[in-house]
Amino acid sequence: MPTTANPMRLLTAVAVAAAALPAGAQAPARAASVAAASRNGPDRLHPLVDLSVRRLATADVVAAAKWGTGGPVDDPAREQQVLESVARQAREAGADPGETVRVFQEQIEANKQVQRALHDRWKAHPSQAPTLRPDLTEVREEINRVNGELVRAIADSAAARTAPSCDGALAAAEARVRRHRHLDRLHATALTHALRTVCAPGPVRSG
């Protein structure tokens, strides 16, 4: 995922439709649910991981929008707004608001990790710095769209995220998405950070 001198072109490239989560019959018992999550874990977690990459890609555009303004990467007011919004959406989607917020906290930190790294790179190599400054309002509209899809992916993957097999399934899904998206080291490292709290302790995992 190389940085481009035209950040809006990157934003357009990452604004693609996420793969739909395959529908399946609800297991009649907890044991059957765990077995299904273990068997299909990477597939069930793939949309969540892919959406995390889409969200990370917007960090390049946000970094370009903030570049040269003297403004900080951290924006506590915006971050709180995002967390409150996803908590509300989680309740509407039938997801656990607390778990959803924990996932998004790491998503936000990973996004800032990319922004800071890009700013450091551009300071060291001014010739690589973006020549255009995107409209941050437009960028945030795309982020909000991805956030909504990510909340639904979190809700739809509850069984896989609380299954004992989640760590292995998540690693498999992450490796698959990294290969498919051709992530560079910066974005691959940030993706791992973004997914830190995806495997959440729940009734199934705690026994």
Side-chain angles (χ1 to χ4, degrees), residues 114-199:
V114 172
Q115 291 182 52
R116 293 189 185 101
L118 289 176
H119 280 189
D120 288 344
R121 180 185 302 172
W122 296 338
K123 288 176 184 177
H125 306 283
S127 63
Q128 297 180 16
T131 57
L132 299 176
R133 182 173 297 158
D135 184 337
L136 195 54
T137 301
E138 293 182 12
V139 180
R140 284 175 173 170
E141 288 177 0
E142 169 62 13
I143 294 173
N144 290 341
R145 284 192 290 270
V146 175
N147 285 350
E149 294 182 53
L150 188 53
V151 169
R152 290 190 291 274
I154 292 170
D156 291 342
S157 61
R161 291 187 301 99
T162 56
S165 60
C166 181
D167 290 334
L170 182 63
E174 180 182 355
R176 183 188 305 171
V177 171
R178 286 172 63 174
R179 289 193 301 269
H180 177 70
R181 294 292 188 182
H182 305 290
L183 298 189
D184 60 17
R185 179 177 296 182
L186 169 60
H187 293 82
T189 300
L191 176 62
T192 298
H193 187 117
L195 301 174
R196 286 173 60 181
T197 55
V198 165
C199 292

Side-chain angles (χ1 to χ4, degrees), residues 35-96:
S38 299
R39 186 166 56 250
N40 302 318
D43 290 335
R44 291 181 179 275
L45 292 172
H46 183 277
L48 194 160
V49 176
D50 199 54
L51 284 163
S52 297
V53 173
R54 283 178 55 191
R55 197 179 193 286
L56 269 180
T58 64
D60 297 54
V61 196
V62 174
K66 294 179 179 178
W67 175 249
T69 65
V73 166
D74 292 271
D75 188 345
R78 163 66 179 173
E79 293 169 22
Q80 185 61 34
Q81 183 184 53
V82 168
L83 295 178
E84 290 175 357
S85 176
V86 299
R88 182 179 64 254
Q89 292 178 64
R91 284 189 289 269
E92 294 170 354
D96 184 303

